[in-house]
Amino acid sequence: MKLTILGCYSATPRIDTNPTSQVLEINNHLFLIDCGEGTQVELRRNKIKFARIKHIFISHLHGDHFFGLVGLISTFRLLTRETELHIYGPKGLKDIITLQMKLSESWTNYPLYFHELTSENSELIFEDDRVEVYTIPLKHRVYTNGFLFIEKPGERKLDMNAVLNADIDVAYYRKLKQGFDVENKQGQFVKNNALTKAPTKTKSFAFCSDTAYHEPIIPIIKNVDVLYHESTFLDKHEKLAAPTKHSTAKEAASIAKQAQVGTLILGHYSTRYDNLKEFKLEAETIFDKVELARDGKTFTF
Amino acid sequence: MKLTILGCYSATPRIDTNPTSQVLEINNHLFLIDCGEGTQVELRRNKIKFARIKHIFISHLHGDHFFGLVGLISTFRLLTRETELHIYGPKGLKDIITLQMKLSESWTNYPLYFHELTSENSELIFEDDRVEVYTIPLKHRVYTNGFLFIEKPGERKLDMNAVLNADIDVAYYRKLKQGFDVENKQGQFVKNNALTKAPTKTKSFAFCSDTAYHEPIIPIIKNVDVLYHESTFLDKHEKLAAPTKHSTAKEAASIAKQAQVGTLILGHYSTRYDNLKEFKLEAETIFDKVELARDGKTFTF
């Protein structure tokens, strides 16, 4: 998996900082997560081909997470896109987009599907042969979901020396990769694990923004390889976090620790802070593996 | 008057080019005209104080002219604006903005007024003691208005030598500035034009974008000091201009010539062109005083 941070600041776009948006690549498959104003320009800056984006996930309807969506949809149209586009987000998002398309008399010339979310429970919202995506119900001022991306196990890998020694017909390779025992050209059954190796370990990623400190997400994100958890504030501004239903770096780290995640990435910083290193230092008092999101930064895992 | 171009390209925002938006300053009074995606960042880049913007004019509901508006309104709220904001634009704009405020549960904490436009005729839509703003009905694929800004004549200027020589009481200065004849301390009437000079010549600016070549606008913009007229295409792409209801540089120049304007500013360039100088050269075959809009450029007149 490869995660590209297009924007990781809260509230308003500024000259050098962008509101929330990130691209997750899983086996050459691109998922766009949130789409603040300016996202399409950041996609260009990061040289991400627009046509490769087929699925967009919107966490909630605060502007810094979706004001760039209508423009991106519109640009796809101007670029004469033909590929279908699927958008997953809170109920109401479809109305917002279609009202603007109607009034501008600019309907898309590509198939556009809205998958509106309303459930308060974690649910499977996307699945193909390579990945599953689940919602992570968060605690914020409006209805909000995080998203959990789980790579599916791939096929077993052939141990070609063993396969050739055992004299297996090529017609059986597919079945071997799928884990079946097969017979060789002499009609003898050979155990699968003598001929194949386990598939590459699959990865998982959880995106949790925006949210107050919220322990009910822990069982959902348990053991994920990478957790992006918002940390709008430092602990010294804890009194601002509670009423706005945001988290501090310390709280994000506490969630990461309890969920036993591999790595915690912090982001959604309030624009009041100049020195982001304080977020890392604060989180590291609770949890070891902490990374800071920064606009334009990529994480490969 | 001072005109700052925040964005002057058509269609989609890119790394180095912005969709339509400009700020017109008249006697320290700021008017924002159109508001494509990224406008709030361009306002910051050009160091224009957000609080000084009290009136926003939206020409039409194509995304490259208004997708930045909802974000700007939202940022004003986050900056705890108190000043009222007036928005003039096509019917439907209020629905677009309020739907998003409703779903994000983010109503403004400052007074927000929508003045929705529906007339097919030029009308006075704003007036204070310094300026009048009229619509300029344009010909485009959706309902579109340009905007005509006319500075009102200021007060007459006192010729202080003459005033002192004529022995006029200071209590009459105000009346003199307003053009009245007054009496001096000896009770003799003195003609106003012996004591005052004409006010500084007022200026006018017309914004015409987006539009096909459309002669009915000529009487409305007759003799304006500065005309911003879209020139999405060069003459060699005239066949693209007609169906999209845009203008070529040549057509913009023809309008400028017939309307006998002072200066023509070209803009709203299609992103297919790298060399903008061709627009100037083409327009200059028809009309002498041609300037090219560029993002971040200011014009003082």
Side-chain angles (χ1 to χ4, degrees), chain A residues 159-168 173 176 185-186 195:
Chain A
D159 176 345
M160 280 313 294
N161 282 338
V163 169
L164 292 172
N165 283 339
D167 208 14
I168 309 292
Y173 286 6
L176 276 177
K185 289 179 185 166
Q186 290 74 44
L195 303 174

Side-chain angles (χ1 to χ4, degrees), chain A residues 1 24 26 131-132 147-151 201-207 220-227 261-263 301:
Chain A
M1 291 194 185
L24 181 69
I26 307 176
V131 65
E132 290 177 340
F147 301 104
L148 171 64
F149 297 82
I150 304 177
E151 199 181 8
K201 190 184 168 308
T202 61
K203 300 284 182 178
S204 55
F205 170 69
F207 170 90
I220 304 171
I221 63 172
K222 194 92 188 175
N223 295 323
V224 293
D225 293 286
V226 178
L227 166 65
V261 310
T263 299
F301 44 98

Side-chain angles (χ1 to χ4, degrees), chain A residues 17-287:
Chain A
T17 67
N18 296 291
T20 301
S21 185
Q22 44 187 256
V23 176
L24 181 69
E25 180 173 344
I26 307 176
N27 294 320
N28 290 316
H29 196 132
L30 293 194
F31 300 95
L32 182 68
I33 308 168
D34 279 349
C35 192
E37 183 172 350
T39 293
Q40 60 178 305
V41 172
E42 295 311 307
L43 285 169
R44 288 184 194 271
R45 203 185 307 275
N46 288 277
K47 302 196 190 324
I48 293 167
K49 288 221 167 65
F50 285 16
R52 291 183 63 202
I53 296 170
K54 290 169 193 157
H55 303 274
I56 301 177
F57 298 85
I58 302 293
S59 62
H60 66 299
L61 296 183
H62 281 160
D64 54 334
H65 294 256
F66 85 97
F67 280 166
L69 181 61
V70 67
L72 185 61
I73 289 171
S74 168
T75 292
F76 284 160
R77 177 179 56 76
L78 293 168
L79 297 175
T80 64
R81 178 189 179 104
E82 291 180 358
T83 323
E84 57 187 41
L85 179 67
H86 293 265
I87 295 170
Y88 305 78
K91 189 166 169 54
L93 185 57
K94 181 179 178 180
D95 285 348
I96 289 172
I97 301 299
T98 51
L99 175 63
Q100 294 181 80
M101 291 197 292
K102 181 182 140 200
L103 286 166
S104 63
E105 297 177 22
S106 305
W107 299 101
T108 61
N109 42 12
Y110 56 89
L112 178 62
Y113 300 97
F114 287 91
H115 305 268
E116 291 197 315
L117 307 175
T118 54
S119 176
E120 300 291 340
N121 301 312
S122 177
E123 55 178 349
L124 177 68
I125 55 171
F126 173 79
E127 182 176 15
D128 68 5
D129 56 341
R130 291 172 168 182
V131 65
E132 290 177 340
V133 184
Y134 295 84
T135 56
I136 307 167
L138 299 175
K139 183 181 173 186
H140 195 40
R141 304 195 302 279
V142 293
Y143 176 73
T144 304
N145 287 295
F147 301 104
L148 171 64
F149 297 82
I150 304 177
E151 199 181 8
K152 286 186 177 180
E155 294 185 319
R156 296 186 67 82
K157 293 184 172 177
L158 298 185
D159 176 345
M160 280 313 294
N161 282 338
V163 169
L164 292 172
N165 283 339
D167 208 14
I168 309 292
D169 193 289
V170 72
Y172 284 113
Y173 286 6
R174 181 110 213 102
K175 274 199 160 307
L176 276 177
K177 286 180 186 172
Q178 291 166 348
F180 293 99
D181 300 336
V182 296
E183 56 182 290
N184 67 5
K185 289 179 185 166
Q186 290 74 44
Q188 297 163 319
F189 264 87
V190 190
K191 285 280 181 196
N192 187 288
N193 61 13
L195 303 174
T196 66
K197 293 169 184 165
T200 316
K201 190 184 168 308
T202 61
K203 300 284 182 178
S204 55
F205 170 69
F207 170 90
C208 294
S209 186
D210 295 354
T211 188
Y213 176 78
H214 191 47
E215 292 185 356
I217 69 175
I218 294 168
I220 304 171
I221 63 172
K222 194 92 188 175
N223 295 323
V224 293
D225 293 286
V226 178
L227 166 65
Y228 175 94
H229 193 292
E230 74 128 289
S231 57
T232 308
F233 298 105
L234 291 172
D235 190 50
K236 66 184 175 192
H237 292 122
E238 196 193 350
K239 280 185 182 160
L240 293 175
T244 57
K245 293 189 181 160
H246 283 300
S247 302
T248 65
K250 216 169 182 176
E251 289 171 332
S254 173
I255 293 289
K257 186 182 182 184
Q258 294 172 76
Q260 295 174 282
V261 310
T263 299
L264 167 66
I265 301 176
L266 297 175
H268 200 265
Y269 317 110
S270 161
T271 52
R272 82 189 56 220
Y273 303 108
D274 288 328
N275 183 8
L276 299 185
K277 284 178 187 164
E278 290 183 54
F279 284 87
K280 191 166 191 282
L281 292 173
E282 180 174 308
E284 282 174 343
T285 61
I286 308 275
F287 185 73

Side-chain angles (χ1 to χ4, degrees), chain A residues 11-15 36-41 44-45 61-62 66-68 70-72 74-75 78 91-93 95-96 99-100 103-106 141-142, chain B residues 11-15 36-41 44-45 61-62 66-68 70-72 74-75 78 91-93 95-96 99-100 103-106 141-142:
Chain A
T12 67
R14 298 181 305 173
I15 295 172
E37 183 172 350
T39 293
Q40 60 178 305
V41 172
R44 288 184 194 271
R45 203 185 307 275
L61 296 183
H62 281 160
F66 85 97
F67 280 166
V70 67
L72 185 61
S74 168
T75 292
L78 293 168
K91 189 166 169 54
L93 185 57
D95 285 348
I96 289 172
L99 175 63
Q100 294 181 80
L103 286 166
S104 63
E105 297 177 22
S106 305
R141 304 195 302 279
V142 293
Chain B
T12 68
R14 300 182 304 174
I15 295 172
E37 183 173 349
T39 293
Q40 59 178 306
V41 172
R44 288 184 193 272
R45 204 186 307 277
L61 295 184
H62 281 160
F66 85 97
F67 279 165
V70 67
L72 185 60
S74 168
T75 292
L78 293 169
K91 191 168 166 54
L93 185 56
D95 285 349
I96 289 172
L99 176 62
Q100 293 180 79
L103 287 167
S104 63
E105 297 177 21
S106 305
R141 305 196 301 280
V142 293

Side-chain angles (χ1 to χ4, degrees), chain B residues 251-265:
Chain B
E251 289 171 332
S254 173
I255 293 289
K257 185 181 183 183
Q258 294 172 76
Q260 296 172 282
V261 309
T263 299
L264 167 66
I265 302 176

Side-chain angles (χ1 to χ4, degrees), chain B residues 230-266:
Chain B
E230 75 126 291
S231 58
T232 308
F233 298 106
L234 291 171
D235 191 50
K236 66 184 175 191
H237 292 122
E238 195 194 352
K239 281 186 180 160
L240 294 175
T244 57
K245 292 188 181 159
H246 283 301
S247 301
T248 65
K250 215 170 183 174
E251 289 171 332
S254 173
I255 293 289
K257 185 181 183 183
Q258 294 172 76
Q260 296 172 282
V261 309
T263 299
L264 167 66
I265 302 176
L266 296 175

